[in-house]
Amino acid sequence: MTAGNERYPAHDNQRIFRAILLTMSQPGSVTALGNWPNPPENLHPAAAAVCLTLVDMDTPLWIGKNTPNDIQTYLRFHCGCPVVRKQDRGAFGLILDGNDLPDLSEFNMGDIEYPDRSATLIIQVKDIQVGSGVLLTGPGINGQVQIGIEGLDTSFWQFLQHNNRQFPLGVDVILATQTEIVSLPRTVQVGI
Amino acid sequence: MSFIKESAAGTENTPRETEDTGYNYGYLDEQTKRMIRRAILKAVAIPGYQVPFAGREMPMPYGWGTGGIQLSASILGSDDVFKVIDQGADDTTNAVSIRKFFARVTGVETTEKTTEASVIQTRHRIPETPLTDGQIMVYQVPIPEPLRWIEARETETRKMHALEEYGVMHVQLYEDIARHGRIATNFMYPVKVDDRYIMSPSPIPKFDNPKLDMSPALHIFGAGREKRIYAVPPYTEVKSLDFEDHPFSVETWDDCCGLCGAKDSYLDEVILNDQGERMFVCSDTDYCTTRQQEGHRGPMAAREDISELKGTGPKAA
Ligand SMILES: [Zn+2]
């Protein structure tokens, strides 16, 4: 018995998981995800790849109410996941436009005895530049790293500071351009 | 679900196939792997915190340990180079079997060299050769809870971690010093990760604890029976618990390695013959062999009767 869909074999899941693991364990490092699925317009292939690799029937996915029908259908079909409308119910949250963020603090931040039960957010952005921009420190970062994100509301960085102060509670974020991802787990400290 | 139905024995001549052998790629079904992968990512995001996961009851040859196997099965791919160490050795029956098993179900390349490996599965040791950026250590853990010897109830230890109530842990360690003159725990010596969670670094000797501190590698720990996954990301502070008047210190030996002469590695005592003659050798066989190949010689290196220990004799596996 193989769960998931036939067009997206185990090898791709493994490869994409490792790319996500690399970025999550080394915040600020950018990884390109090759060999995409072929998602509908406005769903970035990199974001779709992350969803197909991690999201399934056990993990409700939050998507904004303005999400086009074809994207909802695609994710429901390929991930087999329940789609939820209440932010705090989502194990994952998919935000299609980094410039149009919902109130991120409404997502599930986890429980003090089970901080792992918090949400993972996938936010689509335009571009990721390494070496200039916001200064990041924390576990996984050798000293410090700078990243500049195009297509992400600046309020995001205030939220990330707030997120880090709640540790061990907090959400973990994956930013996705069309082809690349960078991860910002709750341990990331932002210097603004 | 497609679990292995045969023991590791007899796998030697099995062709290296994956999908068409009836085994799922990487041995676990995709849904189980996805669940374990999500747990790994949360473990990385909360360094030192034990993430519960719905592990499978897996029929496993004795001595393999399901925690490490499930982690490796969820991590490994055909681009990897995989090393397995049991104690410090690559050539024990368990290490050889696990390596062959994953070569067969994932097509992964295997190695005995620390420097060549992208993923290293281990139970008792961290290699002596410094780990590098991008390497992943996978630990097979029997008892994940560092507070278990103080408090048997899971509900209570979970609260203690949540509230950072670690005073009782310190009191116990201090009493240990009062009784023994030192902290008697030489294995699973507790550490504090990123100044927050107290974590058990699996049954490695405390000699290896400092290797976790600010390590460039990612360290992932899996406990199969208790169904816990926890992690230390690269470049993360890992501090062994200690006291001002009793600072943490690691084991030292008066001898050097009899084969390679190393003075900086963890040594095992080996009985050489029935006259009770003994020597010390590196527990890390790859480290020792590499040093010998580089021309380092210990005081026993010239002895003919220990060729098997030197790695030049017939291998045990
Ligand atoms: Zn040696």
Side-chain angles (χ1 to χ4, degrees):
Chain A
M1 182 188 83
T2 308
N5 71 86
E6 297 303 317
R7 294 187 300 140
Y8 211 59
H11 303 77
D12 286 332
N13 285 333
Q14 185 274 339
R15 210 173 31 74
I16 289 162
F17 165 68
R18 284 290 288 281
I20 300 167
L21 178 61
L22 180 76
T23 61
M24 198 63 86
S25 59
Q26 299 181 17
S29 65
V30 181
T31 304
L33 304 181
N35 197 13
W36 341 102
N38 194 13
E41 206 183 349
N42 297 324
L43 178 57
H44 294 180
V50 171
C51 288
L52 269 57
T53 300
L54 297 178
V55 181
D56 63 19
M57 69 270 255
D58 295 329
T59 52
L61 173 69
W62 178 91
I63 43 179
K65 58 180 184 296
N66 297 327
T67 305
N69 269 330
D70 56 346
I71 292 181
Q72 296 193 35
T73 307
Y74 176 90
L75 291 170
R76 268 210 185 93
F77 178 75
H78 288 290
C79 299
C81 59
V83 168
V84 292
R85 291 279 176 248
K86 284 197 166 147
Q87 266 176 266
D88 60 359
R89 297 284 307 283
F92 287 85
L94 174 64
I95 295 150
L96 293 178
D97 181 358
N99 276 323
D100 186 15
L101 299 173
D103 181 354
L104 299 177
S105 60
E106 296 277 307
F107 283 104
N108 184 356
M109 304 285 276
D111 177 289
I112 189 64
E113 289 190 13
Y114 293 94
D116 57 296
R117 293 180 180 171
S118 66
T120 303
L121 307 183
I122 302 151
I123 304 177
Q124 297 196 148
V125 297
K126 277 201 187 66
D127 191 40
I128 304 168
Q129 293 290 331
V130 181
S132 64
V134 180
L135 194 68
L136 309 179
T137 56
I141 302 168
N142 187 9
Q144 59 184 52
V145 65
Q146 274 183 293
I147 57 167
I149 310 293
E150 206 183 304
L152 182 61
D153 195 284
T154 50
S155 68
F156 173 81
W157 300 109
Q158 273 94 43
F159 166 77
L160 210 61
Q161 278 185 321
H162 162 80
N163 192 50
N164 176 252
R165 282 196 291 266
Q166 314 301 309
F167 189 89
L169 302 185
V171 298
D172 307 304
V173 180
I174 301 171
L175 302 177
T177 67
Q178 293 285 340
T179 58
E180 293 177 326
I181 60 166
V182 67
S183 295
L184 303 165
R186 68 195 78 181
T187 49
V188 165
Q189 290 154 39
V190 184
I192 295 179
Chain B
M1 273 145 283
S2 39
F3 294 146
I4 187 173
K5 288 184 188 66
E6 57 179 298
S7 76
T11 58
E12 184 139 358
N13 299 319
T14 314
R16 224 174 69 166
E17 293 169 334
T18 53
E19 279 84 354
D20 32 21
T21 56
Y23 295 112
N24 201 345
Y25 179 82
Y27 167 52
L28 295 172
D29 62 88
E30 282 305 296
Q31 197 191 333
T32 301
K33 278 190 277 188
R34 212 161 25 237
M35 179 264 297
I36 292 173
R37 286 166 180 164
R38 288 193 297 258
I40 293 172
L41 292 175
K42 287 299 178 190
V44 167
I46 317 166
Y49 164 78
Q50 301 165 52
V51 180
F53 74 104
R56 300 289 192 197
E57 295 305 326
M58 309 203 303
M60 274 289 164
Y62 179 76
W64 279 32
T66 57
I69 298 289
Q70 291 183 84
L71 282 179
S72 290
S74 306
I75 288 170
L76 284 173
S78 49
D79 294 341
D80 279 309
V81 182
F82 188 44
K83 172 180 163 85
V84 181
I85 42 178
D86 186 21
Q87 301 296 343
D90 299 80
D91 59 359
T92 71
T93 310
N94 277 337
V96 172
S97 304
I98 293 171
R99 230 170 27 235
K100 277 189 183 149
F101 173 71
F102 279 110
R104 189 163 56 88
V105 298
T106 66
V108 69
E109 196 185 318
T110 63
T111 185
E112 296 190 4
K113 302 212 85 53
T114 299
T115 49
E116 288 173 359
S118 60
V119 179
I120 302 174
Q121 184 175 328
T122 185
R123 273 207 291 184
H124 315 96
R125 290 300 319 279
I126 300 176
E128 308 291 3
T129 307
L131 299 170
T132 53
D133 219 339
Q135 284 185 312
I136 300 177
M137 290 288 296
V138 171
Y139 298 78
Q140 165 59 34
V141 180
I143 306 164
E145 179 51 73
L147 307 174
R148 186 64 72 229
W149 57 295
I150 297 166
E151 171 57 64
R153 289 166 298 178
E154 163 69 18
T155 48
E156 292 305 307
T157 53
R158 190 158 283 282
K159 269 195 205 108
M160 291 159 78
H161 285 298
L163 303 171
E164 233 177 323
E165 269 177 12
Y166 293 138
V168 60
M169 181 78 181
H170 284 273
V171 169
Q172 284 285 332
L173 282 178
Y174 206 84
E175 281 177 5
D176 198 24
I177 292 173
R179 207 172 305 128
H180 302 280
R182 62 183 167 86
I183 295 174
T185 317
N186 279 331
F187 297 89
M188 295 196 272
Y189 189 101
V191 296
K192 200 166 199 184
V193 181
D194 194 33
D195 203 27
R196 177 57 180 83
Y197 283 100
I198 286 188
M199 184 192 95
S200 171
S202 94
I204 59 172
K206 65 178 182 177
F207 180 89
D208 285 341
N209 279 17
K211 296 173 185 169
L212 288 166
D213 185 37
M214 300 305 278
S215 166
L218 166 64
H219 304 261
I220 312 176
F221 301 79
R225 199 177 40 218
E226 299 203 28
K227 300 180 171 56
R228 296 284 183 276
I229 291 171
Y230 52 101
V232 177
Y235 305 110
T236 300
E237 190 185 278
V238 177
K239 203 176 169 308
S240 300
L241 300 187
D242 67 353
F243 304 91
E244 230 163 75
D245 47 344
H246 288 274
F248 174 79
S249 64
V250 298
E251 301 92 325
T252 54
W253 289 263
D254 295 331
D255 297 79
C256 65
C257 170
L259 299 178
C260 76
K263 294 187 181 73
D264 58 352
S265 84
Y266 189 85
L267 301 177
D268 287 334
E269 194 175 15
V270 182
I271 310 290
L272 289 176
N273 51 39
D274 52 12
Q275 282 95 57
E277 201 185 351
R278 303 174 311 172
M279 71 183 284
F280 286 92
V281 292
C282 294
S283 124
D284 183 336
T285 48
D286 168 55
Y287 184 71
C288 196
T289 312
T290 304
R291 278 179 54 86
Q292 291 175 63
Q293 282 162 358
E294 287 166 358
H296 298 279
R297 289 285 177 272
M300 305 290 274
R303 286 268 294 257
E304 288 301 321
D305 58 330
I306 54 169
S307 62
E308 193 170 321
L309 278 171
K310 285 189 272 189
T312 51
K315 287 209 168 174

XYZ file of all heavy atoms in Angstrom, chain B residues 257 259-262 265 267 281-282 287-288 291-292, ligand 1:
95
model
N 46.547 4.603 22.325
C 46.084 3.454 21.556
C 47.285 2.587 21.179
O 48.272 3.090 20.637
C 45.344 3.930 20.306
S 44.975 2.595 19.149
N 47.594 0.536 18.842
C 47.785 0.334 17.401
C 48.217 1.605 16.682
O 49.133 1.584 15.869
C 46.489 -0.189 16.771
C 45.989 -1.535 17.311
C 44.674 -1.902 16.645
C 47.023 -2.626 17.091
N 47.518 2.736 16.977
C 47.813 3.959 16.212
C 48.469 5.028 17.079
O 48.851 6.085 16.575
C 46.547 4.512 15.565
S 45.446 5.353 16.713
N 48.561 4.765 18.380
C 49.236 5.713 19.259
C 48.422 6.945 19.623
O 48.953 7.863 20.260
N 47.135 6.976 19.251
C 46.317 8.165 19.517
C 46.199 8.404 21.019
O 45.993 7.476 21.792
C 44.935 8.004 18.896
N 41.746 9.865 21.661
C 40.523 9.160 21.304
C 40.023 8.295 22.457
O 40.749 8.039 23.420
C 40.739 8.322 20.037
O 41.317 7.078 20.350
N 39.215 5.070 24.322
C 39.896 3.780 24.228
C 39.090 2.652 24.868
O 38.456 2.845 25.906
C 41.277 3.871 24.900
C 42.247 4.913 24.323
C 43.542 4.931 25.131
C 42.534 4.659 22.852
N 42.827 0.074 22.747
C 42.731 0.461 21.335
C 41.596 1.461 21.158
O 40.656 1.498 21.950
C 42.463 -0.749 20.406
C 43.649 -1.681 20.354
C 41.203 -1.479 20.805
N 41.667 2.235 20.098
C 40.597 3.182 19.779
C 39.285 2.425 19.644
O 39.225 1.396 18.977
C 40.856 3.882 18.444
S 42.287 4.957 18.412
N 38.700 5.729 12.662
C 39.718 6.688 13.098
C 41.067 5.998 13.241
O 42.092 6.481 12.766
C 39.272 7.306 14.425
C 40.177 8.378 14.958
C 40.261 9.620 14.343
C 40.938 8.165 16.112
C 41.082 10.617 14.842
C 41.757 9.161 16.623
C 41.831 10.379 15.979
O 42.635 11.371 16.486
N 41.034 4.816 13.896
C 42.269 4.082 14.178
C 42.924 3.601 12.875
O 44.130 3.762 12.664
C 41.963 2.910 15.099
S 43.415 2.196 15.880
N 44.420 6.442 10.891
C 45.692 6.888 11.484
C 46.830 5.917 11.167
O 47.948 6.334 10.864
C 45.543 7.048 12.996
C 44.907 8.379 13.415
C 44.767 8.470 14.920
N 46.044 8.230 15.606
C 46.959 9.175 15.841
N 46.737 10.413 15.442
N 48.078 8.876 16.468
N 46.528 4.619 11.217
C 47.576 3.631 10.901
C 48.012 3.769 9.439
O 49.196 3.680 9.119
C 47.071 2.219 11.179
C 46.887 1.922 12.674
C 46.266 0.562 12.905
O 46.844 -0.452 12.549
N 45.069 0.541 13.470
Zn 43.964 3.811 17.476
